Amino acid sequence: MIRKLGILTSGGDSPGMNAAIRAVTRCALGNGIEVVGIKDGYKGLINADFVPFNKGSVSEILSRGGTILGSARLPEFKEPAVVDKACEILRENEIDALVVIGGDGSYRGAKALTDRGINCIGLPGTIDNDITGTDETIGFDTALQTVVEAVDKLRDTSSSHHRCSVVEVMGNHCGDLAVYSGIACGAEIVVTPETGYDEEDILERLRYLDNLGKNHAIVIISEKICDVEGLARKISATTGFSGRSTVLGHIQRGGSPSPKDRVLASRMGEKAVDLLVSGVGGHCVGIMNNEIISLPINEALSMPKTSRKALYRLFDRLV
Ligand code: ADP
């Protein structure tokens, strides 16, 4: 039986984490379980930086981006001795179980704690949509909306100046933000880890579009693929377009969560509490075919990435 539950957010933050914190808190309190907020991820856990939560502690946070608990990275948490220490601290504070909201690194920490007898449940909180075991992560929808708004604005000004905008979006080795926004914004070219990078091919395609008489072009590129500023310079030098690069950066992580993210986070938070109450630990929660599901963290982490071939094919058919 669980008497006291801890909740923390870890790794990169994402819009909707607060909705998950609220849902976990309220569902647990409704089950007669005490709730403790843990500040700054595993770092706060090691430092016993705990805040007792009541119903009011999570009032008016649903619409706020970021995480009221703060997030941090603690690379030392990979060391068994540090996880042992975390278990000791949890036991001293009579915290029986944890909900960890974060990415796959955070999931690994949750699994390590579960292996030592503290049941943990992971919730997928990241804008990148790069976690296997779920169709969508908390924060992806909001980040996509942010990217779409930015690219729409860039298109307005690009068409006034016969410009090609090269827009770098986040993704952490996952092309979802790029290909979804490419479809939603009608981009001319999308470059992701899945498509690979062929600079000459991009330049050739832009020359072709220029010859067709297009007065603007949008190229959306996932982060860590190329130097977008350098590519923009080459576009100016070798095509009829004036190339300009924009790195959207951390703007994509902020903002009020979309209704879809708020509902997703609330559903996942409820599921986390139900799993812990029924004695399950070491699982992560996901959404598949609009059903909230859970599966062992190890299984989720070793699943192949869902294929986006159909989305890339659609993108190609629409340009
Ligand atoms: P994300 O959770 O978004 O993938 P990170 O990979 O930075 O972000 O992981 C967040 C935190 O999770 C790390 O700072 C560390 O404290 C913990 N963590 C990451 N990998 C492991 C691991 N293999 N074992 C235990 N804890 C880990």
Side-chain angles (χ1 to χ4, degrees):
M1 203 185 93
I2 302 170
R3 273 160 306 177
K4 205 193 274 187
L5 178 154
I7 175 162
L8 62 83
T9 48
S10 165
D13 67 339
S14 70
M17 280 184 161
N18 284 329
I21 294 169
R22 175 177 176 272
V24 169
T25 301
R26 297 220 165 145
C27 292
L29 291 172
N31 271 308
I33 300 169
E34 272 182 65
V35 179
V36 168
I38 301 171
K39 304 283 253 180
D40 300 329
Y42 294 120
K43 195 167 156 200
L45 173 48
I46 289 297
N47 295 324
D49 199 352
F50 302 149
V51 193
F53 269 5
N54 57 35
K55 224 176 156 188
S57 311
V58 291
S59 293
E60 291 172 43
I61 64 168
L62 198 52
S63 61
R64 278 162 58 188
T67 156
I68 57 159
L69 287 172
S71 188
R73 290 200 161 90
L74 182 74
E76 302 91 287
F77 209 70
K78 289 178 191 160
E79 295 164 21
V82 180
V83 183
D84 288 341
K85 180 162 177 237
C87 285
E88 220 173 276
I89 290 168
L90 287 168
R91 292 207 169 95
E92 274 168 22
N93 287 275
E94 297 175 326
I95 297 172
D96 308 302
L98 273 191
V99 176
V100 171
I101 310 167
D104 55 358
S106 306
Y107 278 12
R108 288 192 174 90
K111 174 75 173 72
L113 287 167
T114 305
D115 290 345
R116 286 164 176 78
I118 308 276
N119 271 353
C120 297
I121 298 294
L123 299 189
T126 164
I127 64 161
D128 299 324
N129 216 29
D130 62 340
I131 304 181
T132 45
T134 185
D135 290 341
E136 205 157 311
T137 57
I138 298 167
F140 175 69
D141 184 64
T142 307
L144 179 60
Q145 197 171 299
T146 303
V147 172
V148 168
E149 278 167 18
V151 173
D152 282 349
K153 286 177 182 159
L154 284 167
R155 185 182 288 285
D156 289 345
T157 169
S158 297
S159 37
S160 313
H161 294 276
H162 199 67
R163 213 171 257 165
C164 170
S165 274
V166 180
V167 190
E168 183 185 289
V169 301
M170 282 188 171
N172 195 25
H173 310 292
C174 172
D176 283 10
L177 265 180
V179 71
Y180 276 79
S181 59
I183 291 170
C185 300
E188 277 64 35
I189 299 173
V190 157
V191 184
T192 70
E194 288 89 339
T195 65
Y197 181 64
D198 182 339
E199 190 173 276
E200 199 36 55
D201 191 52
I202 294 169
L203 296 171
E204 187 52 45
R205 170 119 192 100
L206 289 171
R207 284 191 285 267
Y208 169 77
L209 292 171
D210 182 36
N211 284 337
L212 279 186
K214 274 205 90 118
N215 65 350
H216 60 81
I218 302 280
V219 182
I220 300 181
I221 304 198
S222 300
E223 63 183 337
K224 298 173 191 160
I225 288 193
C226 74
D227 164 22
V228 287
E229 214 182 304
L231 176 61
R233 274 197 301 271
K234 281 192 188 141
I235 290 169
S236 295
T238 66
T239 78
F241 290 108
S242 156
R244 291 290 167 92
S245 64
T246 303
V247 177
L248 293 183
H250 281 87
I251 278 179
Q252 295 162 92
R253 286 245 192 103
S256 177
S258 67
K260 190 177 169 196
D261 272 329
R262 296 181 202 189
V263 174
L264 179 66
S266 302
R267 292 175 75 191
M268 289 182 163
E270 175 193 46
K271 179 76 172 179
V273 173
D274 289 350
L275 287 166
L276 289 171
V277 166
S278 60
V280 176
H283 275 219
C284 54
V285 175
I287 184 162
M288 284 184 178
N289 304 318
N290 204 27
E291 286 280 323
I292 299 296
I293 54 107
S294 81
L295 70 172
I297 286 175
N298 274 354
E299 213 176 285
L301 292 180
S302 58
M303 277 169 84
K305 225 179 135 319
T306 310
S307 166
R308 300 292 188 223
K309 269 195 186 133
L311 280 178
Y312 285 95
R313 197 173 49 235
L314 171 62
F315 176 80
D316 286 340
R317 291 177 79 178
L318 297 175
V319 290

